[in-house]
Amino acid sequence: MNSQIISYVAKMEAALMNSMEDHNEENLLFSIASNIIAQEKDQYKNVCQAYEVVKHHLIGLH
């Protein structure tokens, strides 16, 4: 994992932790990733990889 992916993982996890009580985690994660992609289109691959990392972290929480 490169530093950009690690940065997106941290960004997504922080946003999830701030909003988790109000939403379904998986839908919220998808929404967070989509918003990042909309802002940083050239980082699509890195954001997608970060999404998968965070999703796997969530699976480990359940």
Side-chain angles (χ1 to χ4, degrees):
M1 239 185 315
N2 67 36
S3 61
Q4 192 66 45
I5 294 169
I6 293 168
S7 172
Y8 288 128
V9 167
K11 190 175 197 176
M12 288 180 195
E13 287 180 336
L16 275 171
M17 295 309 286
N18 287 330
S19 303
M20 232 167 29
E21 71 248 5
D22 298 332
H23 299 88
N24 174 294
E25 292 95 350
E26 188 174 346
N27 292 337
L28 179 59
L29 176 58
F30 182 81
S31 176
I32 291 167
S34 296
N35 288 337
I36 293 171
I37 289 170
Q39 295 170 2
E40 303 180 42
K41 291 177 176 64
D42 62 325
Q43 293 297 316
Y44 177 80
K45 286 184 180 181
N46 288 333
V47 175
C48 288
Q49 284 187 291
Y51 171 87
E52 291 299 322
V53 169
V54 175
K55 185 172 78 172
H56 282 68
H57 287 174
L58 284 174
I59 291 168
L61 293 175
H62 293 277

